[in-house]
Amino acid sequence: MPLPDPVGGLDWSHLVDAARAFEDQSPSPSSLSEAEQARQALEMSSELSHGPHTRGGPALDTGVGSPTLLTGKVNQLEVILRQLQSDLRKEQQDKAMLQEQVQHLRQDNMRLHEESQTAAAQLRRFTEWFLNSMDKNP
């Protein structure tokens, strides 16, 4: 969608239409992979550090940076940040659950090891008894 002429003043309804068109074309952050989100974040930060120009054309105003452009990019970064924070919380919950499972498995392993030692000792005693009883009864 073409940007409005910066010299002719800003037509707010046109800006709103442009923003809605951009939102419709942008994929939702939840459908983006982490690599894609990171790539977009790097792309946005490099665009912000290189000046007030958009990818394909001039900025909406001729000042230091376009407030509309910066606001849109900040909003995108906030959405990506919220998604990453959500992913982090989920990963932390998964980690806690896995640590709990590991603890239970260690306890089970210790119990089974003790049972194995007890069974081996009982088998040795039975074998000795059996061999002794066989020697007494020729």
Side-chain angles (χ1 to χ4, degrees), residues 25-96:
Q25 292 174 355
S26 297
S28 68
S30 61
S31 68
L32 296 176
S33 67
E34 288 181 31
E36 181 66 17
Q37 290 175 2
R39 185 192 64 74
Q40 281 187 356
L42 286 173
E43 188 177 287
M44 283 188 261
S45 68
S46 69
E47 286 177 8
L48 288 174
S49 66
H50 286 89
H53 296 288
T54 59
R55 284 180 218 168
L60 293 178
D61 73 26
T62 58
V64 173
S66 167
T68 305
L69 175 67
L70 293 177
T71 301
K73 298 220 181 269
V74 166
N75 289 339
Q76 282 181 321
L77 289 172
E78 287 174 346
V79 167
I80 292 171
L81 177 62
R82 282 192 295 274
Q83 181 64 38
L84 289 174
Q85 287 172 334
S86 172
D87 291 348
L88 177 61
R89 278 191 298 276
K90 184 182 180 311
E91 292 295 328
Q92 288 172 335
Q93 290 170 349
D94 290 348
K95 180 181 177 182

Side-chain angles (χ1 to χ4, degrees), residues 118-128:
T118 302
Q122 289 174 346
L123 184 58
R124 273 192 300 275
R125 284 194 303 266
F126 175 77
T127 303
E128 286 177 26

Side-chain angles (χ1 to χ4, degrees), residues 83-134:
Q83 181 64 38
L84 289 174
Q85 287 172 334
S86 172
D87 291 348
L88 177 61
R89 278 191 298 276
K90 184 182 180 311
E91 292 295 328
Q92 288 172 335
Q93 290 170 349
D94 290 348
K95 180 181 177 182
M97 185 178 66
L98 288 172
Q99 285 176 333
E100 186 177 328
Q101 288 177 348
V102 165
Q103 184 62 30
H104 287 297
L105 288 171
R106 284 185 176 147
Q107 290 171 351
D108 288 345
N109 190 29
M110 288 175 55
R111 180 183 53 79
L112 290 171
H113 182 70
E114 290 171 2
E115 289 176 6
S116 173
Q117 294 295 329
T118 302
Q122 289 174 346
L123 184 58
R124 273 192 300 275
R125 284 194 303 266
F126 175 77
T127 303
E128 286 177 26
W129 171 82
F130 183 75
L131 292 176
N132 287 336
S133 66
M134 294 297 282

